């Protein structure tokens, strides 16, 4: 399996309480099934507090914020574990990383909804260049139909190629990359476009 990341990926870290925003507010933070099962078995005050905060598959916000986000914008679940993320759900451990597997290639990117990830992505001098590593993990079957998969790969390549053109203002590059991807999708038969 090949793993592809942007060259600046290793520079990313969570700004925590120095972040101008927080990823722990204004949305319901989903908790994956494996983590919910672990939470149901947790002992002590943390276990009790977590179970009180769980509502179905997410934490119930308090005034729009995760109930474990303190006044300093730090996560109490991490602080109680001395900096360890072992009590976090998958979304909290991974965000803003986005992992997509396409057969024999795993792509790890950063969501620009995170201010520091956006800064790294949009201000990078290397023009969206990528690094690849390889390990002995087997390829994963692709869930997309071959035609849909090829269209998705073509959209990705066109978007990256367009975003690399630094002489064009960013807003125009983003608009153009979306138009190109829309054109690729429109080339597909209508029945293939539906999700």
């Amino acid at each position: 399996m090949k793993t592809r990341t942007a060259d600046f990926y290793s520079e990313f870290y969570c700004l925590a309480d120095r972040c101008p925003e927080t990823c722990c507010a204004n949305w319901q933070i989903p908790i994956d099934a494996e983590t919910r099962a672990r939470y149901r078995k947790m002992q002590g005050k943390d276990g009790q507090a977590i179970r009180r905060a769980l509502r179905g598959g997410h934490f119930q916000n308090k005034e729009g914020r995760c109930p474990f986000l303190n006044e300093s914008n730090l996560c109490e679940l991490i602080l109680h574990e001395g900096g360890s993320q072992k009590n976090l759900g998958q979304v909290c451990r991974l965000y803003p990383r986005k992992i997509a597997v396409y057969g024999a290639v795993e792509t790890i990117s950063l969501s620009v909804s995170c201010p520091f990830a956006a800064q790294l992505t949009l201000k990078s001098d290397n023009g969206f260049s990528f690094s690849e590593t390889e390990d002995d993990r087997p390829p994963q079957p692709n869930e997309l139909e071959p035609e849909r998969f090829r269209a998705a790969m073509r959209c990705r390549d066109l978007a990256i190629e367009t975003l690399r053109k630094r002489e064009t203002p960013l807003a125009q590059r983003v608009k153009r990359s979306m138009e190109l991807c829309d054109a690729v999708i429109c080339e597909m038969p209508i029945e293939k476009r539906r999700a």
Side-chain angles (χ1 to χ4, degrees):
M1 175 85 70
K2 291 181 182 178
T3 299
R4 181 181 295 143
T5 57
D7 284 343
F8 55 79
Y9 177 77
S10 62
E11 298 174 39
F12 175 78
Y13 59 91
C14 178
L15 298 176
D17 58 332
R18 293 174 289 127
C19 186
E21 297 290 331
T22 177
C23 55
C24 306
N26 300 318
W27 66 299
Q28 292 183 333
I29 299 167
I31 307 299
D32 56 284
E34 184 179 321
T35 303
R36 286 196 312 270
R38 194 172 71 246
Y39 285 165
R40 283 193 281 275
K41 297 175 186 174
M42 276 182 76
Q43 302 296 311
K45 290 181 180 179
D46 281 348
Q48 292 172 3
I50 286 171
R51 285 187 291 280
R52 278 194 305 271
L54 273 174
R55 293 292 180 275
H58 63 273
F59 283 139
Q60 179 67 44
N61 286 347
K62 285 185 180 176
E63 298 176 9
R65 295 166 56 92
C66 174
F68 299 102
L69 184 66
N70 69 21
E71 309 80 43
S72 301
N73 282 344
L74 294 172
C75 177
E76 292 291 338
L77 295 177
I78 294 175
L79 292 173
H80 290 182
E81 290 296 327
S84 168
Q85 295 186 3
K86 74 177 190 177
N87 281 339
L88 298 183
Q90 186 178 39
V91 166
C92 294
R93 280 193 316 273
L94 290 178
Y95 180 83
R97 295 161 198 85
K98 295 165 77 174
I99 301 172
V101 178
Y102 308 102
V105 180
E106 173 184 65
T107 302
I108 305 175
S109 58
L110 296 171
S111 171
V112 293
S113 61
C114 165
F116 188 45
Q119 178 182 339
L120 288 172
T121 302
L122 300 174
K123 293 186 177 179
S124 172
D125 290 332
N126 63 17
F128 291 92
S129 60
F130 298 87
S131 299
E132 277 189 4
T133 58
E134 196 163 352
D135 59 35
D136 57 359
R137 289 178 296 157
Q140 293 185 18
N142 193 335
E143 296 177 5
L144 293 176
E145 299 168 358
E147 190 174 350
R148 200 182 256 287
F149 176 74
R150 284 190 294 277
M153 294 301 96
R154 182 75 180 127
C155 287
R156 182 198 65 189
D157 294 344
L158 286 169
I160 290 170
E161 182 182 320
T162 303
L163 291 169
R164 282 183 172 151
K165 297 177 180 174
R166 300 287 180 156
E167 64 278 3
T168 305
L170 178 62
Q172 289 178 19
R173 286 182 277 156
V174 170
K175 181 181 178 197
R176 180 66 180 143
S177 65
M178 293 173 74
E179 289 169 348
L180 289 168
C181 289
D182 190 45
V184 169
I185 291 168
C186 287
E187 289 174 7
M188 295 176 66
I190 290 174
E191 63 276 4
K192 301 273 187 182
R193 294 182 214 166
R194 297 192 183 103

